[in-house]
Amino acid sequence: MDTYPPSVNELVEAYSESGIPRPLLVDEVRKAIDERQWDKLDERIEVLKRLSLQEVVNGTGVILHTNLGRASWPSTFSGAPINLEFDLNSGSRGSRQNYIGRLFANLCGTESAMVVNNCSSAVLLILSALAHERGVAISRGEMVEIGGGFRVPDVLELSGAYLVEVGTTNKTRREDYERAINANRDVSMIMKIHQSNYKIVGFTESTEMQELSGIGVPLVADIGSGLLDENCFWLENGPPNWLIGEPGARQTLLQGADIVTFSADKLLGGPQAGIIAGKKDLINKCLNHPFARAVRPGGLVLSSLQDLAYKYLNRNWEEIPFWKMAVTTVDELQERAENLKIGTPVPLYSVPGGGTLPDVEIPSFGIKINDDISSQLRDMVDDNLPIIARVEDGNTLLDLRTINPALDEYVKSSLKQIL
Ligand SMILES: *Cc1c(COP(=O)(O)O)cnc(C)c1O
């Protein structure tokens, strides 16, 4: 290595085509010089490029890959001014929640709905608006942590509500809830939390929504993953087998829940958001709570969700990438794998992901490359789209279920280059 570093300017100039904004390049070059690493700038700039947000190819077979942004949902938002909080009818101030709320109320078959930033904020808002300084009855079997850090008892504490534990880890019955309510602990609601990401097996008993209806306090169901309807009315052939048993928002409300909450970027297949749907008076309390403003989504998300709601309402499920990936047949995937004519076509299992359906494996097809080439596949030489693969037993697997068929040729040529 040269003892004296080249000039900052010269080095910055050398990477001017990297796509990294100049001030950041200057920063990085100075750091490299301080650390006497100017001969490693190639690598350092590559690391920086890989840090920026960009499209990737999801070859992992995890349909809702949390690290890849869960559901893939293309936004059509142009960024032009929109009537976000402007009522075109009256020419005065409107509500961003009004129309989107109507769409989701209709989709869930209920009175009212609103949208917040994610399901965690939905739960936080409900607890704050409906249970502040009051008790919330939750089964001991549903005191869960979802993803990294969404722990039900912690969210409860944050909201100012207090926990009234009910039943036991494996068995909770209606009488347990009744006892909690009658014990005069000022129980403001019962909250049922869907066991999205774990299972309790063996001798278990949980209380169904129907058994709790009419118990005297509002029933809130955090169903999390957000299947709109168990019958998947938008699919001609009904739900795929692996979805059987997953609670639908519609059915949960029909069975007596007063409110349901779910994520928009899990089984709904949309952008990151949280939906709260149910009884009008309860939703109004949420809308009027100061937290509602703190957790409200912007026009980018709301217009994108409106697009998604229209796809469901118009039964255009083929335009929802999540459902395309979910129902593609193994035969189709096998054909694509064979047409690639690179690597070895192999049967695989995809998983729903996103902390949903922990036991489910969905038969799939993809290709196997002997050796771990996952790092080369993530390379962005010539501004390539990074391809994210699965590595098993030292071999690289690409599951075609989660890859857009329009990218098959791209995947093939990338593999050719590497191999
Ligand atoms: C995923 C999930 C959440 C958290 O939702 P985010 O949208 O990730 O904030 C909360 N509750 C349940 C039951 C979930 O499955």
Side-chain angles (χ1 to χ4, degrees):
M1 182 164 98
D2 298 336
T3 323
Y4 296 106
S7 83
V8 172
N9 246 345
E10 248 171 66
L11 287 173
V12 167
E13 221 38 67
Y15 292 99
S16 60
E17 304 289 308
S18 65
I20 306 279
R22 199 176 164 90
L24 247 78
L25 276 179
V26 173
D27 254 14
E28 190 60 24
V29 165
R30 290 210 170 115
K31 274 194 196 129
I33 291 174
D34 279 353
E35 293 161 25
R36 304 195 62 79
Q37 281 205 340
W38 57 85
D39 61 331
K40 299 224 168 66
L41 261 172
D42 269 1
E43 277 161 71
R44 293 179 67 124
I45 301 295
E46 200 54 37
V47 167
L48 206 54
K49 278 171 69 177
R50 282 175 164 187
L51 283 178
S52 66
L53 280 181
Q54 56 210 286
E55 290 182 14
V56 299
V57 181
N58 177 7
T60 63
V62 182
I63 305 179
L64 303 167
H65 199 303
T66 301
N67 301 352
L68 304 181
R70 290 195 185 150
S72 92
W73 174 248
S75 171
T76 52
F77 185 58
S78 74
I82 54 170
N83 55 337
L84 184 64
E85 295 217 329
F86 182 79
D87 183 342
L88 287 171
N89 287 303
S90 66
S92 56
R93 172 121 195 218
S95 155
R96 73 180 66 205
Q97 296 285 359
N98 199 339
Y99 189 63
I100 195 78
R102 249 171 104 159
L103 296 179
F104 277 94
N106 184 293
L107 281 168
C108 297
T110 186
E111 289 174 6
S112 187
M114 68 182 288
V115 179
V116 293
N117 280 332
N118 48 37
C119 190
S120 312
S121 43
V123 173
L124 180 62
L125 176 59
I126 288 171
L127 291 170
S128 308
L130 307 178
H132 187 71
E133 292 184 345
R134 301 187 62 195
V136 177
I138 303 181
S139 162
R140 288 197 169 85
E142 296 172 16
M143 231 71 88
V144 298
E145 169 172 324
I146 293 145
F150 181 76
R151 312 185 94 178
V152 172
D154 295 347
V155 179
L156 212 83
E157 196 180 315
L158 195 63
S159 72
Y162 57 85
L163 184 61
V164 177
E165 294 183 44
V166 171
T168 61
T169 305
N170 58 336
K171 296 198 180 186
T172 303
R173 310 186 178 89
R174 179 176 167 117
E175 302 91 84
D176 298 319
Y177 287 101
E178 279 173 341
R179 206 172 311 124
I181 292 168
N182 295 333
N184 196 22
R185 299 197 52 199
D186 193 22
V187 170
S188 64
M189 68 163 76
I190 291 175
M191 185 145 191
K192 301 257 317 147
I193 296 135
H194 178 50
Q195 301 172 1
S196 294
N197 57 355
Y198 73 106
K199 272 214 161 97
I200 295 181
V201 296
F203 295 100
T204 66
E205 195 173 324
S206 63
T207 319
E208 300 296 328
M209 206 54 71
Q210 295 100 309
E211 298 173 56
L212 292 179
S213 70
I215 201 160
V217 296
L219 286 174
V220 174
D222 177 19
I223 60 168
S225 45
L227 181 62
L228 273 181
D229 186 313
E230 286 165 23
N231 305 319
C232 297
F233 62 80
W234 53 93
L235 300 179
E236 296 104 29
N237 301 324
N241 286 336
W242 51 269
L243 266 179
I244 306 272
E246 184 66 12
R250 234 170 210 284
Q251 285 73 20
T252 306
L253 288 159
L254 270 176
Q255 289 160 7
D258 298 296
I259 285 194
V260 295
T261 58
F262 52 94
S263 301
D265 49 354
K266 293 184 183 170
L267 300 178
L268 190 67
Q272 182 196 300
I275 314 286
I276 307 176
K279 293 263 164 66
K280 199 181 172 92
D281 56 330
L282 300 176
I283 303 282
N284 280 344
K285 282 189 184 156
C286 294
L287 283 169
N288 292 327
H289 190 273
F291 264 168
R293 186 189 175 98
V295 296
R296 70 183 187 182
L300 175 61
V301 165
L302 289 174
S303 58
S304 162
L305 256 184
Q306 177 177 297
D307 280 354
L308 178 69
Y310 279 18
K311 304 276 186 232
Y312 277 103
L313 291 164
N314 296 326
R315 311 277 201 274
N316 287 337
W317 68 272
E318 297 208 344
E319 292 171 24
I320 304 175
F322 169 75
W323 288 107
K324 282 288 274 192
M325 290 176 190
V327 305
T328 304
T329 63
V330 180
D331 288 349
E332 272 172 75
L333 296 169
Q334 179 167 3
E335 199 180 317
R336 279 170 58 197
E338 281 159 5
N339 282 343
L340 280 178
K341 300 202 167 39
I342 194 158
T344 317
V346 283
L348 296 170
Y349 285 98
S350 315
V351 295
T356 66
L357 299 146
D359 278 350
V360 166
E361 291 188 322
I362 309 165
S364 185
F365 228 89
I367 53 168
K368 180 170 111 181
I369 312 285
N370 297 326
D371 257 342
D372 179 354
I373 58 161
S374 58
S375 164
Q376 287 106 298
L377 283 170
R378 289 199 308 274
D379 263 339
M380 296 165 53
V381 188
D382 306 328
D383 295 322
N384 278 347
L385 279 181
I387 300 170
I388 317 298
R390 190 153 98 206
V391 177
E392 260 174 41
D393 305 324
N395 299 314
T396 305
L397 302 173
L398 287 171
D399 186 328
L400 290 173
R401 182 178 294 284
T402 50
I403 297 177
N404 181 344
L407 292 172
D408 282 3
E409 273 306 310
Y410 170 75
V411 169
K412 178 176 174 162
S413 69
S414 301
L415 286 171
K416 266 192 173 157
Q417 264 181 27
I418 295 169
L419 296 175

